[in-house]
Amino acid sequence: MRCGPGRGGLAEPFRLVAWNIRAGGGHRASRIAAALIDLSPDAVVLSEFRSTPPSQLIATDLVAAGLIHQQSTCGEVPLGKNALLIAAGEPLKRVALHRRPAEPGRWRMVRLQRSGLAVGGMHIPNQHTGRKPGYHDAVAALAERWRGGPGLLVGDTNSGRIGADEETPVFNKRTDGWFGRMARAGWIDGFRHLHPDQCEYTWYSHRGNGFRLDQVFLNRALTPYLRSVEHRWLGRSDQRRDELSDHAALIVDFAPLSTPIGAMTGTP
């Protein structure tokens, strides 16, 4: 596993893995941790991480593998409820924002202290909760006013573009419009940037219908260094409701940044 560079900027290739691990990991926890470690990430963002022994086992295994700096949102939600974990091989500092998604446990933004990269972890609620529009608006407003240098927003958004990211119709115009608003703010959908017309899904319903629900958005300062965005079903390769999680892992690779990020970082 690669550790971060000693000075500001991504001096080496950088890999981030985002994954909804499904209900805290359960009996799958040790295999989830092993699958993550096999990917040699520099940072991970986990959705549906919980304050339960299986999730804590995952966190402990990641520490043993070198991702010793960790922040979770478990303290924002009742015991055993869905939260986020962000882990990296370099120190993390929470980014304080005047306005951010108010959804407890489903948002956290940190800055990697050696590289300076800002990473926002997201887990947007389902449509039926009625809370998705407010989360969308908060993320888009953050993107529109961002002045914090190279950054990315990543996770399970429960969202997609009409037609492009759904095997059967489910996304509405408001959800579709959120992607357009993010793009106008200068935050591109990484997968669509590299694969404009490719159809891939990161979650399948019990009926076998596929949807691309997991995304990474990058701002203009970081986009030139994006090298690949891959959806990978870990544990099995049948690309259906997988034995480790019902979501595919999102693997994002960057080339080294030529300019230290710290020199480009302002106030968000």
Side-chain angles (χ1 to χ4, degrees), residues 221-233:
L222 187 58
T223 299
Y225 304 96
L226 179 65
R227 288 297 172 263
S228 68
V229 178
E230 178 187 355
H231 308 133
R232 190 179 301 180
W233 292 88

Side-chain angles (χ1 to χ4, degrees), residues 204-223:
Y204 287 86
S205 71
H206 289 286
R207 296 182 177 180
N209 298 317
F211 306 91
R212 188 174 70 96
L213 301 181
D214 303 82
Q215 288 96 21
V216 58
F217 294 91
L218 307 98
N219 66 359
R220 292 188 181 96
L222 187 58
T223 299

